[in-house]
Amino acid sequence: YFDRSSRLLQDGRFPAVDQWGFAPAFHEENTPPLLAYATVGAHKMFNLFHSSSFEVFVDLFPILIYGVWFLSVVLVVSDLWGRWFGLAMGAVFSFLPVSIELTRRGSYFEEPLGAWLLFLSIYFLLKIALEQDRKQWPWLAGGIVTITGLTLSWQQFPIFYGAALLVILLSIKSVNFSKLLTKWVMVLGLPLLLGHFIASVLVGNDYSPLSMLKETAIGLWRRNDPDLLLAMQRADWADAGWRHLYWYFGWLGIVLIAAGLFVLYGQGYIANTNIA
């Protein structure tokens, strides 16, 4: 990822060829481009106030992501449940193993930027459902922007779409389902088209959010294929397991997740499928 970002800074355009593949022949670059553009843009802005090498800035970039992510947690949770709860959740966030791992110095991968955008995307989807009697365009616009950013930064975004689809299906019996369905289709559908246009046309990259959804569908459909299992269990699926729930969130995070599900069930959101 550092190589792609540094070449963007040097050449002024995202690399068109993947030079790090192990196959004998080169192929088109299909990495999500937002991390590189965000890093280069932030570096140029930072250099207006303090000159630093790109290597040093990239090394500190995850810590900057922690700063904006922490501020987002405080503001979002304060908006939903109050100021003191927002400050408390900001403190909890700072000690969760997953946030420490993703935002540690030198952790320059898709995950830090993608996870932050995932958090904001969930917030805007919640606000669309909660603020039905007020102006919706700020939440729709925010959702479209953040979800588009998510699709352009993290290849694991189909998990978010799967969860959103599950929520929509559980909300069919809601009295507001027909009103929300149009907004959900807009805020989830437009980012896929915008992400494809930005990556394929503006950046000139072989990456596409639509292709990622296709790959995910193929992976689910052929999940028992011996060749697929051999390849994926040696890499992408190698660290999948329930034990990672503890590694990611710790006992405190697990307790809070369980308490949140219990509260939702007690309020009828799960039992009555009244998610909206």
Side-chain angles (χ1 to χ4, degrees):
Y1 295 102
F2 171 76
D3 172 73
R4 295 171 177 91
S5 299
S6 59
R7 282 196 282 163
L8 172 63
L9 177 65
Q10 177 181 342
D11 303 333
R13 63 186 303 270
F14 198 76
V17 176
D18 183 359
Q19 298 182 356
W20 292 96
F22 293 105
F26 291 144
H27 59 84
E28 290 185 77
E29 181 62 71
N30 60 357
T31 302
L34 184 59
L35 175 64
Y37 280 93
T39 308
V40 171
H43 175 252
K44 290 181 177 180
M45 292 179 60
F46 186 79
N47 271 5
L48 295 176
F49 306 97
H50 179 76
S51 180
S52 66
S53 67
F54 189 62
E55 291 82 357
V56 171
F57 182 81
V58 169
D59 198 36
L60 298 175
F61 184 77
I63 301 177
L64 297 178
I65 292 294
Y66 163 76
V68 296
W69 197 354
F70 170 82
L71 183 61
S72 300
V73 169
V74 173
L75 293 177
V76 164
V77 178
S78 296
D79 177 52
L80 294 174
W81 292 291
R83 183 197 315 171
W84 294 111
F85 200 72
L87 293 173
M89 286 309 300
V92 170
F93 166 78
S94 299
F95 288 97
L96 288 179
V98 65
S99 65
I100 295 174
E101 177 65 21
L102 290 182
T103 59
R104 62 182 171 83
R105 180 170 179 171
S107 181
Y108 191 65
F109 303 99
E110 294 180 1
E111 284 82 354
L113 181 61
W116 173 53
L117 291 170
L118 173 65
F119 173 78
L120 292 178
S121 299
I122 294 173
Y123 168 67
F124 283 115
L125 286 184
L126 286 173
K127 293 298 286 188
I128 290 172
L130 294 173
E131 301 289 344
Q132 297 180 56
D133 298 329
R134 303 181 183 180
K135 292 183 178 179
Q136 290 277 290
W137 67 265
W139 314 119
L140 290 171
I144 291 171
V145 170
T146 55
I147 296 175
T148 300
L150 174 63
T151 66
L152 290 173
S153 62
W154 199 9
Q155 296 182 69
Q156 303 298 326
F157 78 87
I159 297 176
F160 165 77
Y161 271 79
L165 178 61
L166 178 61
V167 171
I168 292 174
L169 293 177
L170 290 174
S171 303
I172 290 179
K173 295 182 180 180
S174 170
V175 294
N176 299 311
F177 178 76
S178 58
K179 297 180 180 178
L180 285 170
L181 183 60
T182 302
K183 299 170 185 176
W184 278 333
V185 170
M186 179 189 306
V187 80
L188 292 172
L190 281 179
L192 296 174
L193 301 178
L194 288 173
H196 177 79
F197 176 79
I198 292 172
S200 300
V201 179
L202 298 184
V203 177
N205 190 10
D206 193 41
Y207 174 79
S208 169
L210 297 175
S211 297
M212 287 308 306
L213 289 181
K214 179 181 178 181
E215 288 186 17
T216 302
I218 293 174
L220 292 173
W221 181 257
R222 304 186 61 182
R223 61 188 180 278
N224 295 320
D225 185 282
D227 294 331
L228 181 66
L229 291 174
L230 177 63
M232 297 299 287
Q233 289 178 350
R234 291 167 58 93
D236 297 79
W237 293 353
D239 61 348
W242 286 106
R243 65 187 183 279
H244 288 81
L245 185 65
Y246 168 74
W247 293 356
Y248 292 156
F249 300 105
W251 287 116
L252 177 59
I254 292 175
V255 170
L256 290 175
I257 292 172
L261 292 174
F262 179 78
V263 169
L264 286 176
Y265 182 82
Q267 293 179 350
Y269 284 93
I270 295 177
N272 299 327
T273 65
N274 189 20
I275 303 298

